[in-house]
Amino acid sequence: MDTNQARGALLKLRAQALEQAARLDAEASALRDAIRTGEERVRGIDDPATATGAVADTDRISSVMKEKVAAIDAALARIDAGTYGLCVVCGKPIPEARLEFRPMAADHVECASRA
Ligand SMILES: [Zn+2]
């Protein structure tokens, strides 16, 4: 995978993650409104505790998506800097298979687990 392919893959993943985060934020916000106004039943959740849990879950997944966007931005910056595909921990090339599976990977599996 050359850097042009990597950039394309990263931009696609970035757009998907942003779209998911936006959808989740809208969902969480609608749930919060429903809880505040006591309309949980309208949204199909009878138990306020379940609704509150659903808000927390939605917020958590949205945060994961935003962290993913940040990791993608960092990978795009490494492409611009000419260091894409090199491990940020040890500096050696990251295996192609790992980059194909996770284009925003910044390190080796072993280096990541050591950090
Ligand atoms: Zn490494």
Side-chain angles (χ1 to χ4, degrees):
M1 187 159 68
D2 64 29
T3 50
N4 276 334
Q5 286 173 308
R7 191 190 299 274
L10 286 163
L11 289 174
K12 197 172 156 197
L13 287 172
R14 190 180 193 281
Q16 286 169 351
L18 279 178
E19 194 190 304
Q20 280 173 313
R23 192 166 37 80
L24 289 161
D25 287 348
E27 230 169 79
S29 148
L31 269 171
R32 276 196 192 86
D33 287 348
I35 292 168
R36 195 171 44 240
T37 57
E39 286 172 18
E40 300 95 271
R41 278 184 179 80
V42 177
R43 301 192 66 81
I45 302 174
D46 287 338
D47 176 11
T50 305
T52 304
V55 170
D57 287 346
T58 308
D59 280 342
R60 200 178 52 240
I61 305 167
S62 172
S63 302
V64 170
M65 288 302 143
K66 285 167 191 159
E67 281 164 25
K68 190 172 172 183
V69 171
I72 291 167
D73 285 341
L76 289 167
R78 286 194 301 279
I79 290 179
D80 291 336
T83 58
Y84 180 77
L86 300 176
C87 176
V88 296
V89 180
C90 71
K92 290 180 194 142
I94 299 167
E96 189 83 354
R98 174 153 165 84
L99 288 174
E100 267 167 28
F101 178 69
R102 192 178 148 78
M104 68 290 252
D107 46 24
H108 294 107
V109 176
E110 309 79 53
C111 289
S113 62
R114 231 180 290 139

